[in-house]
Amino acid sequence: MAFAPGSAAQGDCGQDNTHCPICLSAPTAPRMSKCGHIFCFPCILHYLGTSDNKWVRCPICFDSVNERQLKAVKWSDGPPHLKAGTVPPSASSSSFASDEFVARTGSTMHMRLVQRPQITTLALPRSRTWPSDLLPPHQAPFHFLPDVFKFAKFMLATPAYLTSDLSKDLDELATERRILIGMNDSLGLSFVESADQKVRDQIAKAIALDSSSLKKQIDKATRDQREIEERHAIQERNRKLEEAARLDNSDIPSEFLALKSSAPTRTSTPLPRNVEVAKAPQGPYRSGPRQRRNVNPPPPSTSTYYYYQDASGLPLFLHPLEIKILLSYYKSYSSFPDTISIRVESFTEGTVDDDLRKRCKYLAHMPEGADVVFIEADLLNVVGADGLKNFEGALKMRTARRKEKERKDDRARTRAEEKGKSNFSSAWSDSSSSHAYLTPVSVPPVENIEEHTQENASVMPLQEVSGAWGARSFASALHSAPASGNRGQPRPQPREVDEWDLDAAWHELERTAGGRKKRGARLVVLGSGGRRR
């Protein structure tokens, strides 16, 4: 089961923020691929049916999508503790992006101290149930245990929980079926029926998991949780009684307390003189078997990682520099407070890889390629001015680097915009100059061309122009002398003829003269003063 941010209502949750990239509507019985994109179950089945293989390319990121890898989506609420001014969820078909719930500068964020033993990948906020016998570090916890649903990367779901969620998918598919029946969409209806059948098969498998051994495990976890809650309530009650008694003792006169402290105390009875105390044998010889050295390997390390994460469970972590400041103030990681409220100054994004795991070992349990966000915060309200005094240089240096990076990004963005505008203007000018069309050339029939050339030849001989195509070429027509009737008039300026017009005239001439094959007829094409290109 995959998780995606949504709204408060489970039935309509997330449908205002996420859309299926295939039908562009709210996801119906949503399913998530391994790349993190969410689709309608009927839509992704239809898309898979268009391929001859058992997999297709994701329409968003082109990663492979297989039906076996599709996971049911569980919508989760956004962080309710963030103040006004936070970034709202963006419309995306992904499970969650790193910039969806990042607080803006000046907003308040609540973080919890997460404790992860080095020998496990289970990381949960420190509380009365973690670490405890209720949550073994090497076993997957049940989803209903405290903080498991938000922070655990793996968990066990009860058959009743799975059946309840899958039944909601059946309700959504029934609504989609009624809509398609009204639209007479038989093709879409077939894939809705296929998705309905697959969901019913999943419900049958979930019901089959309900065995007696699983019921015993669930009952034991519920009973242990109730005992821990009762024990914690008793401890809280005793603590309050002790505080009240301490306040009452403050009203007692100091003379009475001093008198009480000077009362005689019980001393131990001395031993008789004839009784001797047994002493341990001295010297090189000792009674009893000789102890052997332990040749077994040492037990695994019990060290624990501590770090702060957003109280909503999103991958928003406190910056390592802030962790150093807290360590310098509290002297040990185990002394950190369970919850802190910080003011956000900025944030940096990152991706989990080998380099990040070496620098931040407490994030080694995160999957490779996961997006994480480090929050740069103002800890003045947590450690005070004295706690920040030793780190003023590092904080100023980080602020200077952040501002320099912002200036570089602004300059790069400005250069990119200017380059885009210049490329657009040059492309626009080139396209406007290349689309200057003139009057198309009219070409007379072949018979008229021959008569016209004979008349002109009788009036004035043509200027001999030699070329590769002979005297009857385009070049000869361009450089030929004007007719005698036009001597007194100024020579007209050559008109620019578009290549498209020349091609049209050529095809028109071929179509006109194509049906007639006159022996000895010459084909002459006259231009209208086209210039060289």
Side-chain angles (χ1 to χ4, degrees), residues 150-161:
K150 289 183 178 180
F151 291 89
K153 298 301 178 184
F154 53 90
M155 66 193 74
L156 296 178
T158 60
Y161 183 81

Side-chain angles (χ1 to χ4, degrees), residues 42-121:
C43 290
I44 193 62
L45 291 179
H46 190 175
Y47 186 45
L48 287 167
T50 59
S51 175
D52 297 334
N53 302 322
K54 294 183 179 180
W55 60 276
V56 292
R57 293 288 184 186
C58 176
I60 302 298
C61 63
F62 301 104
D63 195 2
S64 60
V65 177
N66 194 339
E67 182 181 350
R68 289 186 156 209
Q69 298 172 345
L70 297 176
K71 304 295 182 183
V73 176
K74 176 68 177 179
W75 301 106
S76 61
D77 297 339
H81 56 275
L82 294 183
K83 303 293 184 181
T86 56
V87 179
S90 58
S92 171
S93 61
S94 175
S95 58
F96 58 84
S98 59
D99 58 345
E100 284 181 350
F101 292 109
V102 176
R104 293 179 181 175
T105 302
S107 62
T108 303
M109 178 178 292
H110 302 283
M111 309 194 89
R112 299 186 63 182
L113 181 65
V114 178
Q115 182 175 351
R116 183 179 74 85
Q118 190 177 3
I119 57 176
T120 182
T121 58

Side-chain angles (χ1 to χ4, degrees), residues 26 48 142 192 204 234-235 271-272 373 387 396 457 466 515 530 532:
L48 287 167
F142 285 101
V192 171
I234 294 174
Q235 291 176 356
L271 293 174
V373 177
K396 291 180 180 179
S466 61
R532 295 182 180 179

Side-chain angles (χ1 to χ4, degrees), residues 420-490:
K421 291 179 181 178
S422 62
N423 293 340
F424 178 76
S425 59
S426 60
W428 177 260
S429 60
D430 294 342
S431 62
S432 59
S433 61
S434 62
H435 286 78
Y437 294 102
L438 296 178
T439 306
V441 180
S442 60
V443 181
V446 179
E447 293 84 354
N448 298 337
I449 291 176
E450 293 180 354
E451 295 174 0
H452 185 68
T453 52
Q454 291 176 1
E455 293 176 0
N456 291 341
S458 62
V459 175
M460 181 178 181
L462 295 174
Q463 183 178 359
E464 295 293 335
V465 179
S466 61
W469 299 95
R472 297 293 185 180
S473 63
F474 285 103
S476 62
L478 285 172
H479 297 85
S480 60
S484 59
N486 298 333
R487 287 180 179 179
Q489 300 178 0

Side-chain angles (χ1 to χ4, degrees), residues 181-245:
I181 290 175
M183 298 172 59
N184 295 326
D185 188 356
S186 59
L187 180 60
L189 189 62
S190 63
F191 289 102
V192 171
E193 296 292 344
S194 177
D196 184 273
Q197 184 60 39
K198 292 181 182 297
V199 172
R200 293 184 185 277
D201 294 341
Q202 292 176 356
I203 292 177
K205 292 180 180 178
I207 295 175
L209 295 175
D210 195 3
S211 59
S212 59
S213 59
L214 182 60
K215 288 182 179 180
K216 291 180 180 179
Q217 294 180 8
I218 296 174
D219 294 340
K220 181 179 181 302
T222 306
R223 185 173 58 256
D224 293 344
Q225 181 183 1
R226 185 169 56 252
E227 291 178 357
I228 291 176
E229 295 291 342
E230 293 175 355
R231 192 183 311 124
H232 177 71
I234 294 174
Q235 291 176 356
E236 286 292 325
R237 192 182 308 114
N238 294 335
R239 185 179 60 82
K240 291 180 180 179
L241 291 176
E242 290 178 0
E243 291 180 356

Side-chain angles (χ1 to χ4, degrees), residues 111 308 316-326 342 346-348 359-360 362 373-377 379 395 398 401:
M111 309 194 89
Y308 281 100
L316 309 179
F317 306 97
L318 194 62
H319 197 274
L321 181 57
E322 274 71 16
I323 297 292
K324 290 182 180 179
I325 296 175
L326 293 174
I342 58 175
S346 182
F347 63 91
T348 56
R359 290 187 288 109
C360 304
Y362 54 88
V373 177
F374 294 99
I375 303 297
E376 300 176 4
L379 299 179
L395 293 173
R398 187 179 68 179
R401 285 199 303 263

Side-chain angles (χ1 to χ4, degrees), residues 400-415:
R401 285 199 303 263
R402 182 173 64 247
K403 292 182 178 180
E404 180 64 24
K405 183 178 181 299
E406 291 176 356
R407 286 194 293 266
K408 288 183 179 179
D409 294 341
D410 293 340
R411 289 196 295 266
R413 189 182 304 108
T414 303
R415 287 196 298 266

Side-chain angles (χ1 to χ4, degrees), residues 378-403:
D378 182 11
L379 299 179
L380 183 62
N381 296 331
V382 181
V383 299
D386 296 336
L388 297 176
K389 186 180 297 184
N390 297 330
F391 296 90
E392 289 180 355
L395 293 173
K396 291 180 180 179
M397 186 181 301
R398 187 179 68 179
T399 303
R401 285 199 303 263
R402 182 173 64 247
K403 292 182 178 180

